[in-house]
């Protein structure tokens, strides 16, 4: 059971790009240090070690087998220069959390149901598309919470941080941004703080 205390630190994005299907393909990297002002764009070597991470869905597993048959220099995820994620947005987030802090770029292809954070699935010339992909760097949201027992818990969020009430009564929250009180009291069931990546996905899903 968590009490609603949030703190966040954001640094300027290391690269800007328009994320839209049909406009470009992109790879995503999570910054190693959320407080640093900029991040050097990772360089993909000429003969990269590639890890393939697929969800348990049949379409993703089938795609993994096809990709593995045409790619060389396959590697475990923790030793890879590039990770190919096959699945939906949940799979992409899982891989981004697993590679957080290493600076490993992740090239996602949609083998799930929606895939707002992923590229269109294409089996041909995947290495060429990796080398030409626009690189985007995400800076995670730092969450600090204080429990009802007084202990401090921390976590990093790529999409959002949310707090939900656990009783039948509505929660009363005080909203502060950069130390300035923006809302003295908010009576609600829950509250969510979204990252730019998370809010973009929510806006896309609303339309």
């Amino acid at each position: 059971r968590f009490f609603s205390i949030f703190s966040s630190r954001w640094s300027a994005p290391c690269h800007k790009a328009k994320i839209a299907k049909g406009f470009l393909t992109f790879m995503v990297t999570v910054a190693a240090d959320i407080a640093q002002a900029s991040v050097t764009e990772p360089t993909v070597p000429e003969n990269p070690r590639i890890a393939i991470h697929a969800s348990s869905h049949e379409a993703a597993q089938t795609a993994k087998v096809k990709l593995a048959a045409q790619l060389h220099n396959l590697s475990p995820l923790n030793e890879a220069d590039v990770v190919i994620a096959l699945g939906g947005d949940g799979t992409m987030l899982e891989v981004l959390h697993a590679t957080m802090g290493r600076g490993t770029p992740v090239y996602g292809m949609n083998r799930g149901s929606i895939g707002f954070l992923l590229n269109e699935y294409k089996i041909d010339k995947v290495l060429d598309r990796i080398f030409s992909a626009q690189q985007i760097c995400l800076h995670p949201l730092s969450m600090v919470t204080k429990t009802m027992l007084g202990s401090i818990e921390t976590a990093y969020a790529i999409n959002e941080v949310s707090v939900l009430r656990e009783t039948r009564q509505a929660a009363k929250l005080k909203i502060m941004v950069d130390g300035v009180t923006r809302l003295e009291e908010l009576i609600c069931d829950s509250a969510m703080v979204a990252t730019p990546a998370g809010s973009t996905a929510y806006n896309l899903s609303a339309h």
Side-chain angles (χ1 to χ4, degrees):
R1 186 178 296 183
F2 291 90
F3 188 69
S4 56
I5 298 178
F6 296 94
S7 71
S8 62
R9 293 183 298 169
W10 276 91
S11 54
C14 65
H15 205 80
K16 294 181 179 179
K18 185 175 182 181
I19 304 178
K21 290 181 180 179
F23 287 91
L24 52 82
T25 59
F26 55 93
M27 287 193 298
V28 181
T29 305
V30 178
D33 183 353
I34 63 170
Q36 65 191 58
S38 63
V39 177
T40 302
E41 197 171 280
T43 303
V44 178
E46 185 176 344
N47 185 28
R49 295 167 298 175
I50 299 175
I52 304 174
H53 182 91
S55 73
S56 58
H57 291 177
E58 182 179 353
Q61 290 295 318
T62 300
K64 180 180 180 179
V65 172
K66 290 181 178 179
L67 272 175
Q70 67 169 263
L71 292 174
H72 305 287
N73 208 13
L74 294 178
S75 170
L77 189 144
N78 62 346
E79 299 176 4
D81 298 308
V82 178
V83 179
I84 297 176
L86 301 168
D89 287 337
T91 301
M92 185 67 170
L93 291 171
E94 178 186 349
V95 176
L96 290 175
H97 275 285
T99 59
M100 186 181 294
R102 293 199 204 105
T104 307
V106 180
Y107 186 86
M109 289 194 287
N110 186 18
R111 289 285 79 192
S113 54
I114 303 297
F116 290 120
L117 299 175
L118 297 107
N119 299 291
E120 181 182 0
Y121 172 71
K122 291 182 180 179
I123 194 73
D124 59 311
K125 298 182 179 178
V126 66
L127 270 181
D128 291 341
R129 285 185 285 120
I130 286 175
F131 284 123
S132 62
Q134 178 75 62
Q135 293 199 28
I136 298 169
C137 184
L138 299 180
H139 295 261
L141 185 68
S142 172
M143 180 196 77
V144 181
T145 64
K146 185 177 181 181
T147 71
M148 297 292 288
L149 298 177
S151 63
I152 302 296
E153 305 286 343
T154 62
Y156 292 141
I158 295 171
N159 249 15
E160 81 281 328
V161 174
S162 60
V163 58
L164 307 175
R165 65 180 176 87
E166 291 190 350
T167 68
R168 295 177 182 176
Q169 295 178 321
K172 293 184 178 181
L173 307 177
K174 182 177 182 179
I175 307 297
M176 300 177 68
V177 179
D178 295 332
V180 178
T181 299
R182 300 296 183 182
L183 196 58
E184 188 64 38
E185 184 178 80
L186 173 65
I187 301 175
C188 60
D189 291 327
S190 61
M192 181 176 71
V193 181
T195 67
S199 62
T200 298
Y202 295 133
N203 282 316
L204 287 171
S205 66
H207 294 283

